[in-house]
Amino acid sequence: MKITGAAKIIGIFGDPVGHTLSPAIHNAAFERLGLPYVYVPFHVKPAELKKAIEAIRALDMPGINITIPHKERALKFLDEADEDARRIGAVNTIVNMEGRLIGYNTDGTGYLRSLREETGFKAAGKNIIIIGAGGAARSIFYAILTHKPERVVLANRTVKRARALADEFGRRFNVKIEASGAGKDALEAYSKDSHLVVNTTSLGMMGEGRLDFPLESLPENAVVSDIVYRPLKTEFIKGAEKRALKVHTGLGMLIHQGAIGFELWTGRKAPVEVMRKAALKALKGKEAV
Ligand code: ATR
């Protein structure tokens, strides 16, 4: 992009931040729409987070993305946060509204948007298994609960953590929620009548362990979803494809959480396919290294 006097900086605060695909995704979108924005990664250490957030206002930046490990702490340095972000207890997107910093969490809604776009899946009335009970699970669990599913099983290696999250959100929604271990045996019975299973852990990512799930017990019309996108197709997804189940990979959530942020910052509809192409290109470049 040609930097003129109209240029504005948007970016991402993280520690580490070098792995992020967001600059590739957003800069491609800004360029396509001819917007005078440039998206930059900022390596912000936890001790500097407050000052970095204050700089959004001082430098008149339209907004910022927040990533690991700042998503929870960033909340307390904002002027406001939308209800979903407050309930989830984490923000991934900040919008600068004429000097007021407003926090949003677009992870869960981005996840559901991409799931629907790619597979047609709607959560209402469905039985769903969520594997994991960490930060990513919180956003996805919350977004799913707002769509009135029939039953959600939160399955986590540490059952206590799944139970705590199930109790916390269970009070707010009239949905049957069960906490479970994440072992194959524990999940066999739930799998038989589940319509969606989503992995929200890092299992299956390059260099991590593998996810052991009883794919063979799922009904034929089940959707298998993974938020991991490195590799693009995890063993979990490949196993589901072998069974000819519908699959949803992690790239979609990455694109759509960004697309919602893009729309909040610019007021323009995000060019989702341009963003997807840019992410794939950046990902391939990195995988080759
Ligand atoms: P994130 O914000 O990416 O979700 P997190 O809050 O650290 O990260 O949560 C990581 C999730 O992956 C947790 O559900 C974790 O299970 P525990 O609560 O039992 O730790 C899960 N996880 C990570 N490594 C795992 C492994 N090797 N086996 C099973 N679950 C794992």
Side-chain angles (χ1 to χ4, degrees):
M1 169 209 168
K2 194 164 170 247
I3 308 281
T4 68
K8 289 203 184 288
I9 297 179
I10 295 181
I12 182 162
F13 295 167
D15 176 26
V17 77
H19 64 282
T20 178
L21 295 177
S22 293
I25 294 172
H26 285 288
N27 285 321
F30 295 149
E31 202 162 305
R32 170 59 62 99
L33 269 59
L35 297 169
Y37 299 140
V38 57
Y39 190 106
V40 181
F42 293 98
H43 186 185
V44 174
K45 298 255 171 67
E48 302 298 332
L49 182 63
K50 185 167 187 275
K51 280 193 232 154
I53 290 177
E54 283 165 358
I56 300 171
R57 206 182 284 118
L59 300 176
D60 191 26
M61 296 160 80
I64 272 292
N65 278 135
I66 298 286
T67 189
I68 285 165
H70 305 312
K71 287 187 182 183
E72 290 86 13
R73 259 184 80 235
L75 258 176
K76 67 175 179 197
F77 303 129
L78 303 177
D79 298 308
E80 239 178 86
D82 93 326
E83 190 185 332
D84 291 356
R86 272 187 277 122
R87 293 244 158 109
I88 293 165
V91 290
N92 73 333
T93 305
I94 298 174
V95 178
N96 181 0
M97 287 281 276
E98 293 168 2
R100 282 188 70 72
L101 301 183
I102 306 174
Y104 296 86
N105 191 315
T106 71
D107 285 333
T109 34
Y111 170 78
L112 278 187
R113 253 210 217 182
S114 77
L115 180 68
R116 188 157 169 181
E117 179 194 81
E118 292 180 36
T119 69
F121 187 87
K122 291 183 195 161
K126 302 288 185 2
N127 294 336
I128 295 170
I129 300 176
I130 298 176
I131 301 168
R138 268 184 94 83
S139 307
I140 291 173
F141 184 34
Y142 182 87
I144 284 175
L145 287 174
T146 62
H147 284 75
K148 302 188 171 56
E150 172 72 22
R151 181 191 77 203
V152 181
V153 177
L154 260 189
N156 197 41
R157 174 178 60 182
T158 313
V159 190
K160 221 170 108 186
R161 206 171 169 200
R163 205 165 286 134
L165 184 54
D167 287 348
E168 182 185 339
F169 286 176
R171 276 180 246 125
R172 298 216 171 88
F173 296 91
N174 188 18
V175 172
K176 190 171 173 198
I177 300 174
E178 298 192 26
S180 160
K184 214 168 169 173
D185 294 344
L187 292 176
E188 191 110 38
Y190 290 124
S191 299
K192 291 189 176 119
D193 64 349
S194 284
H195 305 97
L196 169 72
V197 50
V198 48
N199 173 42
T200 73
T201 74
S202 52
L203 289 173
M205 200 186 283
M206 282 170 188
E208 299 275 335
R210 109 173 229 291
L211 176 66
D212 202 17
F213 183 88
L215 283 168
E216 63 285 356
S217 306
L218 288 168
E220 272 171 30
N221 62 351
V223 175
V224 173
S225 170
D226 202 330
I227 70 161
V228 172
Y229 56 84
R230 277 190 182 111
L232 273 172
K233 275 189 188 174
T234 58
E235 291 303 316
F236 181 48
I237 291 291
K238 284 186 191 161
E241 280 183 335
K242 250 183 227 149
R243 261 214 60 198
L245 299 173
K246 258 194 200 169
V247 299
H248 171 242
T249 69
L251 196 66
M253 174 177 171
L254 175 74
I255 303 299
H256 279 276
Q257 63 75 31
I260 298 170
F262 181 95
E263 288 165 6
L264 288 167
W265 295 322
T266 67
R268 303 280 297 273
K269 192 165 166 21
V272 170
E273 287 318 310
V274 170
M275 295 167 101
R276 195 188 313 273
K277 234 190 209 164
L280 274 170
K281 197 171 157 203
L283 210 49
K284 292 219 167 101
K286 281 192 183 153
E287 279 182 0
V289 174

